[in-house]
């Protein structure tokens, strides 16, 4: 029975390796072993000051297992994975790798054993090219074959194509969207021949197609005996992919289960401890005047790697949420930059806020007119990692909330406003007024969204409001966007998450290759139609 | 020997110590470390090199001692800033003061002593070629070392894995650490290399350029080398151009002062700085994204665990 299974697995993987460029699972030395316990973490405790992020947690991963780690934002998942990767030292507990107790002094030690990690907040080099980012991370074993950048570059293209994670190796990372950055992280981790691959929310910025392709790859890796730890808030994915799940809540282990035998609701309930609410659409509210209008906006690509925008037309009325769907890299970043004023439009009249032409004025002046903007990248763009929350609040609201007078900042008021964001948006923080970088991803997102919404903008433009945010927090953020619209604001949401757009938008338009389709009322389109438009096919009734 | 060749020779000699020191600092900064102690390391290298060469009578030994002494200072800097995580700017300034003081102390017994300069190469036939024979084939070994270092650093940074790793560490220390690159180890090596180059530059000053010892003979060249790295936007080839330009302007300025053109001498003395600044600013404006300023430059790296 046992032997039978292994032989079919071997045959399977042989078949696959004919079709696809192989990714070795780093098991050449003991290729016979595709099962058995790979790593066991026991009694792991990690404290940050008085705050316990991990409280004696046990977690074991077997060879060939895809193991899900579930939990709300701030449950301590990333912390646990950083411990496994040697980035953080546990205060208590031990890690047994392949039968031997190990202690990691640095990520190098973990890398030597074959532990590879896809980080939630990217660990990329902004000013290096995709190729260089990947080459820098490859271990010594690959160096033996010579440091051949041209060969590696070809390999990246091959692997990217085979696994649906297309990348052009020569592009500098700073020109890439979050989705494209995610692809680099994944390909980099795959090329490192991992024995244990940790993926911290890898699909939060991938399109469904990209995610599907990734799952195939992950399953192949597992078949070859690689252990996988998989963190995601998308419970459907987890049920499809994983054979075991460990659930954390508030830093504690609350349960283990086989996700295939649970349904999404029961998994969510275990994570949150209570029932997950759904977005309530606001009772019929009035659609008012046009508050944000884009009139034939054409923008050349700001740099050679960016997309140009072609003749974008859109209107958002007060009281309305307009959703913009599209696959990453079709001009979303450029559209956001043009709307926010990070890139100025060629003519002032192409962008109007409350009928005022604003195409030529900067972001601060647009804010003064009652607009607010939430960019896609929360760390580095939406917030400065090494500044306290209240200082981060000053950065975007100093003008609109009269936080500075005669060049002096009113820190007390800033602190009060930031505490208001924290309490109204249920931002979980450790300590008072901590650095933005110490918040878990979803909590920082809640803070950034809350900061802008509490400025009570008349026009809000937001790019990917809920990527990497747990179900509960995502609902809270979406609800806040709807409520803002119900109070008469015009809300424009750029997102790759169709479920999100369908649950909050009044109308949906699709951005493809820098062109925007006409906006269709949400009630009158299906997901399939939007999906086809995202993939670039002309839809007749779109006009 | 004709006039152009003579001028070219003086330009190259003026540029060489700058280039040597600056190439070392460029590698250090590309690894993300800002070592402002260049002047001090150069001065100590010059003094130790001169002392060792005079006492032993061997120029080669002098050069080696110069490099080792500057590396010793560099390792002190590395320990304080890398292992102990001290502020790099403050430590670098302190290193300058220590190095200058040390050079005075070591050189005290040698003030006024002079040696014969290291001779240039003379290759049968080639060095005497008319035109540029002497410029290309008749320089002293330091000049060739400086050229070779420039070339090697271009190849190293652009084409080797080690160079890529070094750049990654300088670009984003947290990411480099997270993917398992030994940040501190790489920075140690870079700082030591920078020290060796500064020592070599010092040795050039006291053994070739002005082959006698006088206190303070580095005359601010360490600072100029530091500035060159920034103006060259961390690219070795631009550094070479910058150093030659600076050397050229220095020589021109001397000639202009000698010819007494009626311009204030202060203005003429400022000329090399102005010319270099202008040229390098124009150069970096010309190209898009034309700077390789390392993202983690000057930041201490103390991973929180
Ligand atoms: N370096 C740090 N200093 C202080 N608190 C931290 C630090 N890193 C994480 N935390 C806190 O630990 C908790 C768990 O964070 P994390 O592991 O990132 O959660 P998640 O499960 O969302 O990945 C959060 O409340 C976060 O604020
Ligand atoms: Mg996390």
């Amino acid at each position: 029975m046992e032997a039978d299974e292994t032989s079919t697995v071997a045959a399977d993987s042989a078949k696959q390796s004919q079709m696809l460029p192989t990714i070795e699972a780093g098991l050449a030395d003991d290729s016979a072993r595709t099962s058995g316990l790979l790593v066991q973490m026991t009694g792991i405790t990690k404290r940050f000051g008085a705050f316990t992020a991990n409280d004696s947690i046990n977690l074991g991963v077997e060879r060939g297992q895809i193991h899900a780690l579930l939990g709300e934002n701030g449950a301590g998942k990333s912390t646990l994975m950083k411990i496994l990767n040697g980035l953080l030292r546990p205060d208590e507990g031990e890690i047994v790798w392949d039968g031997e107790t190990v202690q990691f002094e640095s990520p190098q030690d973990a890398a030597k054993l074959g532990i590879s990690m896809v980080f939630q907040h990217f660990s990329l080099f902004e000013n290096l090219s995709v190729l260089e980012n990947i080459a820098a991370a490859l271990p010594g074993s690959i160096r033996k074959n010579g440091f051949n950048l041209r060969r590696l570059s070809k390999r990246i293209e091959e692997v990217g194509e085979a696994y649906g994670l297309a990348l052009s190796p020569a592009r500098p990372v700073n020109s890439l969207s979050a989705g494209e950055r995610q692809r680099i992280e994944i390909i980099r981790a795959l090329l490192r021949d991992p024995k244990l691959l940790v993926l911290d929310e890898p699909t939060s910025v991938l399109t469904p197609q990209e995610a599907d392709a990734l799952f195939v790859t992950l399953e192949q890796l597992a078949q070859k005996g690689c252990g996988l730890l998989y963190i995601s808030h998308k419970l459907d994915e987890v049920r499809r992919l994983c054979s075991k799940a460990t659930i954390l809540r508030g830093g504690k282990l609350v349960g283990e289960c086989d996700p295939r035998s649970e349904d999404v609701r029961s998994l969510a309930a275990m994570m949150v401890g209570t029932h997950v609410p759904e977005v309530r659409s606001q009772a019929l509210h009035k659609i008012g005047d046009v508050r944000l209008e884009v009139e034939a906006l054409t923008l050349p690509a700001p740099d050679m790697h960016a997309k140009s925008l072609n003749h974008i037309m859109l209107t958002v009325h007060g009281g309305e949420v307009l959703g913009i769907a599209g696959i990453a890299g079709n001009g979303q970043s450029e559209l956001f930059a043009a709307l926010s004023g990070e890139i100025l439009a060629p003519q002032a009249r192409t962008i109007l806020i409350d009928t005022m032409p604003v195409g030529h004025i900067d972001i601060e002046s647009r804010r003064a007119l009652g607009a607010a903007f939430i960019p896609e990248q929360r760390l580095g763009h939406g917030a400065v990692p090494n500044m306290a929350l209240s200082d981060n609040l000053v950065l975007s609201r100093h003008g609109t909330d009269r936080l500075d007078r005669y060049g002096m900042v009113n820190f007390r008021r800033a602190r009060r406003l930031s505490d208001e964001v924290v309490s109204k948006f249920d931002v979980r923080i450790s300590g008072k007024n901590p650095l933005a970088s110490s918040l878990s991803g979803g909590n920082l997102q809640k803070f950034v969204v809350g900061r802008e919404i509490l400025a009570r903008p008349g026009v809000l433009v937001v790019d990917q409001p809920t990527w990497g945010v747990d179900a509960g927090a995502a609902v809270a953020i979406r609800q806040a966007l709807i409520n803002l619209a119900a109070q008469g604001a015009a809300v424009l949401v750029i997102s790759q998450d169709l479920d999100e757009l369908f649950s909050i938008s009044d109308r949906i338009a699709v951005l493809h290759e820098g062109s925007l389709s006409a906006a269709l009322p949400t009630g009158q389109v299906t997901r399939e139609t939007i999906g086809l438009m995202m993939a670039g096919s002309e839809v007749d009734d779109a006009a | 020997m004709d006039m152009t060749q003579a001028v070219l020779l003086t330009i190259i000699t003026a540029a060489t110590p700058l280039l040597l020191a600056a190439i070392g600092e460029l590698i250090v900064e590309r690894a993300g470390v800002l070592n402002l102690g260049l002047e001090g390391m150069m001065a100590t290298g010059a003094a130790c090199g001169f002392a060792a060469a005079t006492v032993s009578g061997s120029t080669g030994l002098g050069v080696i001692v110069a490099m080792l002494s500057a590396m010793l200072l560099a390792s002190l800097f590395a320990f304080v800033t890398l292992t102990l995580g001290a502020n790099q700017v403050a430590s670098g300034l302190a290193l300058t003061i220590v190095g200058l003081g040390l050079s005075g102390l070591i050189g005290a017994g040698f003030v006024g002593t002079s040696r014969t300069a290291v001779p240039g190469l003379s290759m049968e036939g080639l060095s005497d070629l008319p035109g540029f024979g002497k410029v290309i084939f008749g320089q002293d070994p330091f000049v060739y070392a400086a050229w070779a270092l420039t070339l090697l650093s271009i190849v190293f940074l652009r084409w080797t894995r080690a160079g890529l790793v070094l750049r990654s560490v300088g670009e984003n220390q947290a990411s480099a650490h997270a993917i398992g690159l030994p940040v501190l180890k790489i920075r140690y090596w870079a700082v030591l290399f920078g020290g060796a180059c500064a020592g070599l530059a010092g040795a050039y000053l006291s053994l070739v350029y002005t082959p006698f010892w006088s206190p303070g003979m580095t005359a601010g060249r360490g600072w100029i080398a530091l500035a060159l790295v920034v103006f060259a936007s961390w690219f070795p080839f631009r550094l070479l151009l910058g150093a030659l330009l600076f050397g050229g302007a220095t020589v021109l300025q001397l000639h202009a002062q000698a010819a007494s053109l009626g311009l204030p001498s202060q203005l003429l003395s400022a000329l090399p700085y102005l010319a270099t600044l202008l040229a390098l600013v124009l150069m970096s404006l010309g190209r898009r994204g034309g700077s390789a300023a390392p993202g983690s430059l000057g930041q201490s790296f103390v991973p929180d665990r």
Side-chain angles (χ1 to χ4, degrees), chain A residues 185-202:
Chain A
E185 283 264 353
I186 293 172
I187 289 189
R188 180 163 81 176
L190 290 175
L191 286 176
R192 289 177 84 176
D193 297 352
K195 285 183 186 161
L196 176 68
L197 179 60
V198 179
L199 299 115
D200 197 347
E201 305 191 16

Side-chain angles (χ1 to χ4, degrees), chain A residues 46 85-89 104-105 107-108 123-125 127 132 135-138 143 147 188 192, chain B residues 158-161 164-165 167-169 171-172 175-182 288 293 304-305:
Chain A
K46 176 73 192 172
N85 192 47
L87 264 172
L88 294 173
R89 198 201 317 262
F104 299 141
E105 289 307 318
Q108 268 174 283
S123 58
L124 298 175
F125 306 101
N127 288 326
E132 289 173 325
L138 294 186
R143 210 181 332 164
F147 181 63
R188 180 163 81 176
R192 289 177 84 176
Chain B
R158 237 192 122 90
W159 299 112
T160 68
R161 185 190 142 85
L164 173 61
V165 166
R167 280 189 287 139
S168 312
V169 166
E171 171 64 31
N172 186 337
S175 293
H177 176 65
I179 61 171
L181 298 178
R288 273 191 141 206
D304 79 318
R305 301 213 56 195

